[in-house]
Amino acid sequence: MTTDVLIRVEGLEKHFGGKIHALNGVSAEIRKGEVVVIIGPSGSGKSTFLRCLNLLEMPSAGRITFEGVDITDPKVNINQHRQKMGMVFQHFNLFPNMTVLKNMTVAPVTLHKKSREAAEVLAKQLLERVGLADRAGAYPNQLSGGQKQRIAIVRALCMEPDVMLFDEPTSALDPEMVGEVLDVMKQLAREGMTMVVVTHEMGFAREVGDRVIFMDGGRIIEQGTPEQVFEHPENPRLKEFLGKIL
């Protein structure tokens, strides 16, 4: 067994209400430093799969091993492991009554027991990196959608996670704001952050992904390098999907 596998997923199943089979025997590995991009039609199970990785969605069956620990074991303290998994959603989930700086430091101070000073130093460094150093004292309602999403990303980074999970992080943004968020994600990828990204942004998948996974009907239908998936797709369903969106 290779030691560079960060997340191993085995036989993942997810049922909703007994009728909807959202995930159907999904197995996958995410390696350290890898950028894995998950694509597929709406309702294919992409977001459900992502949300199962940190147990925001509890699998109906199967096993997820994160950093060598079976986090689906009921005896495991999942909150402890979640702190090592940054999560960025479609909607920014910022606390509206807190400044940007407070949004970024509240979790490291309360969960990691970091000193406020140390948390603020890191937060300001991260804001500088995404071009928002001047917005530390602003409130979320004073920010554009693109700014809010960049803050959501660096807020997750304040916890110094080992992997970042992105659930369609640009789908709620105006088109002209998408680029500024993708630029931050590209920078993270260049720095070696392990990332799992559910997205409709095929340009990002091609440019940044080390591996692209195509899901449909709750299954992984095909996966490979961006070149393999986009230039030489094998599965008819993937060919059909790409034919409609490219």
Side-chain angles (χ1 to χ4, degrees):
M1 191 182 290
T2 54
T3 54
D4 64 342
V5 173
L6 193 68
I7 303 173
R8 177 175 279 109
V9 179
E10 299 167 274
L12 209 60
E13 304 271 340
K14 179 63 184 178
H15 308 265
F16 289 105
K19 293 181 180 176
I20 299 170
H21 207 159
L23 294 176
N24 193 348
V26 173
S27 296
E29 290 181 348
I30 313 294
R31 298 177 182 279
K32 288 177 187 170
E34 189 177 32
V35 178
V36 177
V37 182
I38 305 174
I39 63 171
S42 295
S44 59
K46 309 183 299 292
S47 289
T48 302
F49 172 65
L50 190 80
R51 291 168 67 86
C52 281
L53 293 182
N54 63 358
L55 301 196
L56 283 181
E57 211 65 78
M58 280 303 296
S60 305
R63 188 162 69 160
I64 300 165
T65 308
F66 174 54
E67 296 185 330
V69 176
D70 177 3
I71 61 171
T72 45
D73 182 338
K75 296 191 287 289
V76 165
N77 179 354
I78 183 56
N79 288 327
Q80 190 179 344
H81 294 282
R82 267 197 201 121
Q83 290 176 26
K84 302 178 194 171
M85 295 176 157
M87 182 103 189
V88 179
F89 303 89
Q90 284 181 39
H91 300 287
F92 326 113
N93 298 344
L94 298 175
F95 297 112
N97 60 329
M98 294 182 186
T99 64
V100 164
L101 192 63
K102 180 77 170 171
N103 261 286
M104 294 175 67
T105 55
V106 64
V109 169
T110 54
L111 297 175
H112 274 191
K113 306 301 182 205
K114 244 188 180 174
S115 74
R116 186 164 305 285
E117 294 74 19
E120 287 187 355
V121 166
L122 177 60
K124 286 173 180 175
Q125 286 172 348
L126 290 168
L127 285 173
E128 184 82 43
R129 270 175 53 184
V130 299
L132 292 172
D134 61 332
R135 308 303 281 157
Y139 286 86
N141 66 359
Q142 297 170 309
L143 305 173
S144 70
Q147 289 173 330
K148 287 177 189 171
Q149 195 59 296
R150 282 186 281 162
I151 297 296
I153 292 171
V154 291
R155 177 182 60 177
L157 291 174
C158 278
M159 293 294 285
E160 301 177 269
D162 295 336
V163 60
M164 287 284 286
L165 310 176
F166 294 88
D167 188 8
E168 298 191 23
T170 59
S171 64
L173 299 177
D174 292 336
E176 67 265 27
M177 293 176 183
V178 169
E180 63 191 54
V181 173
L182 292 180
D183 283 345
V184 172
M185 295 169 66
K186 289 173 187 175
Q187 184 184 342
L188 280 179
R190 285 193 297 270
E191 292 166 1
M193 173 61 77
T194 309
M195 296 163 63
V196 186
V197 184
V198 170
T199 187
H200 296 292
E201 300 290 337
M202 297 301 141
F204 176 85
R206 280 186 179 207
E207 182 185 345
V208 184
D210 295 304
R211 184 154 46 101
V212 177
I213 291 175
F214 172 68
M215 291 186 69
D216 191 34
R219 290 187 170 95
I220 292 176
I221 303 296
E222 191 168 331
Q223 60 180 307
T225 65
E227 185 187 9
Q228 287 169 334
V229 168
F230 290 110
E231 307 299 334
H232 311 289
E234 294 179 359
N235 187 279
R237 183 68 188 93
L238 174 56
K239 290 179 183 176
E240 179 192 2
F241 174 76
L242 294 175
K244 287 179 179 173
I245 61 163
L246 294 181

